[in-house]
Amino acid sequence: MQERSLEDLPSPTPLREVPAPPRISRRVQLRAVVRKEVRQTVRDRRMMFLLVMAPLIQTVLFGFAVDFDVDRVPTAVVDRDGSAESRLHTRRLLADGTLREQARAPSAEDAQRAIDEGQVAAALVLPPRLGRDLLAGRPAQVQVLLDGTDPNRANVVAGAVSRYFGEVNEGLMRERAGAAAPGGVSAVPRVLYNPSLRTPPFMVPGVMAMLLLVVTTIVTAMGLAREREMGTLEQVLVTPLEPLSLLAGKMAPFFVIGLVDVMLVLAFGTWLFDVPLRGPLPVLALGALLYLLSTLGVGLLISTVSGSQQQAFLGGFLFTLPAILLSGVMTPVSGMPVWLQWATRLNPVRYFVELLRAVLLRGAGLAEVWPQLLALLVFGLAILGFATLRFRKRLG
């Protein structure tokens, strides 16, 4: 076969230059990316609810719940005089709106017991012969018992009572102009549990409840959502590990972290802010355990309805903020509208805050806080049980 030289080979066909794609302006690129993100967000119904409906609902709740005006304070009235004059002053004092008669007590000891149990926040004790002393021009004293666990409310109540009887004294002095020693009535406040009306003993228990709620709820929700989003949860499911064992193992660390946070906040609160520890610590520990059942259950429930970490974080945030504001941490529940007070009964945070303040500040024991413990138990079992069923259903 005759060999061909390089000169005999056909020359290669020259390559044609491929024209560069037309340059797209940054405005068009930006418009395309924005259109894509808007369509993706609108198609996600859960995200649209979190972005549109949830803020509207929270705005309505916050407008009614966040009210720093102290009014309608539940008060026990002890009228030891029973005269027309004492009844008149009681009606006029309650007509101001700051105090609301919650109960009638036969003695100051019974009224203080009602404050100990958390039924009322103040007590008005009218002395015997109040009417006759005022008519005769003799001085009289009205005792006001105050729950010092809420310093702001105690200050407002004491000021309202003192202001009212100050006006009464001014009226008596005008009626008895020229008298040598006109009589009068004075209010003598007695602050219980927090005589100096310091703020830290009131805020530290609320901070403890808020920290546990935020840490255990949001971290639990985001942790499970992250594993589902990365696909590692499905990889674990192919092993012989049972779903309940998997769930218990994943929630146990957060449970331990919550207990450690309780001990840290309690230690630093007593050391730095002189928060008293008047009640039994086993009751406090039991309340914390039951409270963690609810917070971990809420975190698990949020993770089952979230498709991504972003949705889990938003869901946890939109739950924790109303739960905190409707718990009485910053504003008393008694100052909220009646319909909102009923809504707070469905909030586990409220019962834990009440338990903390009762045990730490009032020295309450199991006999006084068993309603809060029972409520935390019911909410914890119900929320955690429902979340576990949803978790197993979604895994299946």
Side-chain angles (χ1 to χ4, degrees):
M1 183 175 181
Q2 186 178 3
E3 295 182 358
R4 301 177 64 183
S5 62
L6 293 176
E7 291 78 1
D8 297 335
L9 293 176
S11 59
T13 304
L15 297 176
R16 291 179 299 176
E17 295 183 359
V18 179
R23 183 177 179 83
I24 304 176
S25 64
R26 293 182 178 178
R27 180 180 302 176
V28 176
Q29 296 176 9
L30 179 61
R31 187 183 303 122
V33 174
V34 171
R35 187 183 302 113
K36 178 255 183 188
E37 291 296 328
V38 170
R39 290 178 178 176
Q40 183 176 352
T41 304
V42 172
R43 291 172 182 173
D44 193 338
R45 295 182 178 179
R46 287 174 292 188
M47 184 61 70
M48 287 300 298
F49 176 80
L50 293 175
L51 295 177
V52 178
M53 293 303 300
L56 295 178
I57 296 175
Q58 290 193 1
T59 300
V60 175
L61 291 178
F62 296 168
F64 287 104
V66 183
D67 186 2
F68 293 99
D69 296 333
V70 178
D71 54 5
R72 301 189 299 274
V73 177
T75 305
V77 177
V78 181
D79 189 356
R80 301 180 60 190
D81 185 21
S83 63
E85 191 74 13
S86 64
R87 290 192 295 269
L88 175 64
H89 288 298
T90 301
R91 288 196 304 269
R92 288 181 176 177
L93 184 57
L94 296 175
D96 175 67
T98 303
L99 303 179
R100 174 176 58 86
E101 184 177 348
Q102 181 74 17
R104 287 269 176 170
S107 64
E109 291 75 15
D110 294 325
Q112 183 172 343
R113 190 177 303 110
I115 296 178
D116 292 337
E117 297 174 355
Q119 300 176 4
V120 296
L124 183 65
V125 183
L126 304 176
R129 301 184 301 275
L130 174 64
R132 283 178 289 177
D133 289 341
L134 292 178
L135 293 176
R138 293 188 295 267
Q141 290 184 342
V142 174
Q143 187 179 36
V144 185
L145 302 178
L146 301 171
D147 183 359
T149 57
D150 189 339
N152 181 51
R153 182 173 58 183
N155 276 319
V156 172
V157 172
V161 177
S162 299
R163 184 171 56 252
Y164 169 76
F165 285 110
E167 295 174 355
V168 171
N169 289 333
E170 292 179 0
L172 292 175
M173 293 181 64
R174 287 194 299 267
E175 293 177 359
R176 299 166 183 168
V185 58
S186 59
V188 181
R190 179 189 171 194
V191 182
L192 306 175
Y193 320 121
N194 186 15
S196 57
L197 293 177
R198 297 172 55 245
T199 303
F202 170 73
M203 289 302 302
V204 169
V207 170
M208 185 188 302
M210 289 190 294
L211 287 178
L212 282 181
L213 179 66
V214 173
V215 171
T216 57
T217 299
I218 296 182
V219 174
T220 302
M222 292 190 63
L224 295 175
R226 181 181 64 251
E227 293 208 17
R228 182 180 294 108
E229 190 175 7
M230 297 175 62
T232 57
L233 193 60
E234 285 73 10
Q235 295 176 7
V236 176
L237 291 177
V238 299
T239 65
L241 190 63
E242 296 182 357
L244 288 180
S245 300
L246 170 64
L247 181 61
K250 288 188 173 297
M251 298 186 68
F254 302 117
F255 194 85
V256 175
I257 291 173
L259 294 179
V260 172
D261 287 339
V262 170
M263 292 186 292
L264 288 177
V265 175
L266 195 60
F268 275 84
T270 55
W271 177 43
L272 293 177
F273 305 107
D274 295 328
V275 176
L277 296 175
R278 297 192 175 101
L281 291 181
V283 176
L284 180 62
L286 177 60
L289 292 175
L290 298 179
Y291 179 62
L292 286 174
L293 295 179
S294 297
T295 58
L296 292 174
V298 171
L300 177 61
L301 184 61
I302 292 174
S303 70
T304 61
V305 298
S306 302
S308 62
Q309 296 182 69
Q310 183 183 20
Q311 293 181 1
F313 176 78
L314 286 176
F317 175 76
L318 294 176
F319 170 80
T320 56
L321 193 55
I324 291 172
L325 294 177
L326 296 178
S327 63
V329 170
M330 292 178 290
T331 57
V333 175
S334 59
M336 302 178 186
V338 177
W339 65 271
L340 201 55
Q341 293 182 29
W342 283 98
T344 61
R345 297 178 181 271
L346 302 177
N347 185 10
V349 188
R350 170 188 174 177
Y351 298 101
F352 187 57
V353 172
E354 292 178 351
L355 183 143
L356 287 176
R357 289 173 177 166
V359 173
L360 295 178
L361 305 182
R362 300 174 186 163
L366 186 62
E368 291 79 18
V369 298
W370 70 264
Q372 286 80 9
L373 291 173
L374 180 60
L376 290 174
L377 175 63
V378 172
F379 278 112
L381 294 179
I383 296 174
L384 188 59
F386 180 69
T388 302
L389 291 177
R390 280 194 57 88
F391 182 78
R392 295 185 61 182
K393 182 179 180 181
R394 182 155 186 176
L395 291 181

